[in-house]
Amino acid sequence: MSDPFRDDEGAALIRAAKLEEENAELRRELAEAKKPKPPEPKPEPSDDGKLARARTTIALSMLILITGGGVFALTRHERAHIVEATRKSVESTPTFGKVTPIVTPPDWASQAAPTTVNLRAFTQGQVPAAGYAVGAGGTILRHYENAQAWTVEASGTTSDLAGVAEQLGNVCAVGVGGVATCTDSDQREWHVEKTGTKSDLLGVNASHGFLAVGRGGTIVRRASGGWRAEASGITTDLYAVEEPYAIGAGGVILQHGKGAWAPMASGTTEALFALDVEQHGVVVVGAHGTVLRLTDPRDGFHVESSGVAVDLFGVSRGDAGYDFIAAGASGTIIRSMNTGGIWRRETSGTSHDLHAVRGSIPTMFIVGDEATILSHRY
């Protein structure tokens, strides 16, 4: 005769052994899932699929932990129910669209202009604090420091203007056919002046009066008695001037001293379009990314690597004196952050040719084709 208590105990042991086998099988499945598998020629699962697999693995791990702790009441059907609930939770999880990439704005901001003509030169006046941009068709734009808009000035000429300079509120712009139009600090109107030449004037600067240069080695100076010619000793086109230097085609550099202009070595035959002179030295820029620097007059000019190959039409010192900014073709802007001549690209936000860089703290300006006006605040 059988013992019912012994039979019940035996049945319980059988069920426990069976559950232990199932738990062991689940442990093996989890171990297999953790093993790295060789790549299969199947498409990668989506992020949602990966999430579902991870949550299923977590659910299995929880079951093993539970059964390993001595609770044998959960059957295979109940464990399957938990896994199915986990899968439905994954399917109900909302999905998200692609993250929109962050767009970095250009280093230079664009300003609206009341014209569409090509702008060739710019100067920043100090008294009053106003900027002047000049260009095709006798265009002159004025911008006061605290104003938002640029205004068109009546220049008195329809000739293309290629250079402009300011000194103590007096401003002169020069251009094609030897034209010069000026306004004095006590006047608002521009008036055309005779320069004594019909040669195109391509650049002007103001330090000891106004000094302009142009085609065929032309140099004219504005003094109290009007404009008068100075002998350059050359017939090469001159593109820019800032005393005591004038620069031009074929790598020409002239230096003024003892009342006369004399050539000096540049180390290049590339056309030179712009220069800036200040206490830390001289920087000259030109065709095909040419950059020259002079830090000691006894050593002369030496060539620097600009990192670009496009023509550079304008250059100016920046906020720190030894910080130079150059601009040129196809919206190119480069900056030298030290006297060692390491140049880095900056973003302009335009593909138009840029012709002039000038300004003063707190704002620098660049002007170019199709009335491009860029500004940068320090």
Side-chain angles (χ1 to χ4, degrees):
M1 182 175 181
S2 62
D3 187 341
F5 293 101
R6 185 178 298 277
D7 291 342
D8 290 343
E9 181 180 0
L13 290 174
I14 292 171
R15 288 196 299 273
K18 187 174 182 180
L19 286 174
E20 180 59 29
E21 290 177 359
E22 293 175 357
N23 291 336
E25 180 182 350
L26 288 174
R27 290 191 186 95
R28 287 194 298 272
E29 291 176 0
L30 181 61
E32 289 296 326
K34 290 182 178 180
K35 290 182 180 179
K37 295 183 178 180
E40 297 179 359
K42 295 181 180 180
E44 286 292 326
S46 64
D47 291 340
D48 290 344
K50 293 178 180 178
L51 183 59
R53 184 180 297 172
R55 290 190 177 180
T56 302
T57 302
I58 292 172
L60 291 172
S61 300
M62 292 174 63
L63 288 171
I64 290 173
L65 288 174
I66 292 172
T67 56
V71 181
F72 296 99
L74 293 177
T75 67
R76 179 182 293 273
H77 173 73
E78 289 169 326
R79 290 194 291 274
H81 177 74
I82 293 176
V83 172
E84 177 65 15
T86 303
R87 183 187 64 78
K88 290 182 178 180
S89 174
V90 170
E91 291 178 350
S92 64
T93 302
T95 59
F96 298 93
K98 294 182 179 179
V99 177
T100 303
I102 298 174
V103 179
T104 303
D107 296 302
W108 292 74
S110 177
Q111 295 196 357
T115 181
T116 58
V117 304
N118 295 340
L119 299 175
R120 302 297 300 227
F122 175 83
T123 191
Q124 179 66 44
Q126 300 299 322
V127 184
Y132 302 86
V134 304
T139 298
I140 297 179
L141 305 181
R142 189 196 300 249
H143 177 273
Y144 288 102
E145 183 176 337
N146 296 322
Q148 296 297 319
W150 291 77
T151 58
V152 179
E153 301 276 304
S155 66
T157 181
T158 57
S159 298
D160 292 349
L161 300 174
V164 63
E166 185 272 352
Q167 185 179 40
L168 299 176
N170 304 316
V171 188
C172 280
V174 301
V176 172
V179 68
T181 181
C182 303
T183 180
D184 296 324
S185 57
D186 58 348
Q187 300 177 358
R188 281 280 306 192
E189 296 79 15
W190 295 81
H191 54 277
V192 175
E193 299 182 352
K194 294 181 178 180
T195 60
T197 182
K198 294 297 183 181
S199 298
D200 296 344
L201 296 175
L202 305 177
V204 64
N205 185 253
S207 53
H208 306 290
F210 290 91
L211 183 66
V213 298
R215 301 287 183 194
T218 299
I219 300 178
V220 291
R221 188 185 298 269
R222 184 184 190 245
S224 57
W227 294 86
R228 59 181 177 82
E230 294 187 358
S232 66
I234 63 172
T235 57
T236 303
D237 292 348
L238 296 173
Y239 299 129
V241 62
E242 187 168 342
E243 286 195 286
Y245 303 101
I247 61 173
V252 165
I253 298 181
L254 301 180
Q255 183 175 15
H256 190 262
K258 297 181 179 180
W261 292 90
M264 65 181 301
S266 67
T268 184
T269 57
E270 297 284 1
L272 304 176
F273 298 127
L275 77 162
D276 199 345
V277 181
E278 51 86 44
Q279 62 180 347
H280 293 287
V282 184
V283 172
V284 179
V285 300
H288 303 115
T290 298
V291 174
L292 308 178
R293 191 185 295 259
L294 181 148
T295 55
D296 187 337
R298 295 170 297 182
D299 295 336
F301 286 91
H302 62 273
V303 179
E304 289 185 351
S305 174
S306 66
V308 299
V310 301
D311 294 347
L312 298 173
F313 300 123
V315 67
S316 177
R317 60 187 177 274
D319 62 336
Y322 51 80
D323 157 29
F324 284 89
I325 303 164
S330 303
T332 299
I333 301 176
I334 58 174
R335 183 192 294 263
S336 172
M337 299 302 294
N338 54 56
T339 56
I342 300 174
W343 294 84
R344 295 184 175 88
R345 293 288 294 264
E346 294 192 343
T347 55
S348 65
T350 181
S351 60
H352 293 310
D353 288 355
L354 304 175
H355 293 287
V357 187
R358 276 294 185 269
S360 61
I361 296 174
T363 307
M364 297 292 293
F365 291 94
I366 297 177
V367 301
D369 286 352
E370 298 190 22
T372 298
I373 301 177
L374 306 178
S375 64
H376 178 83
R377 291 184 66 86
Y378 286 104

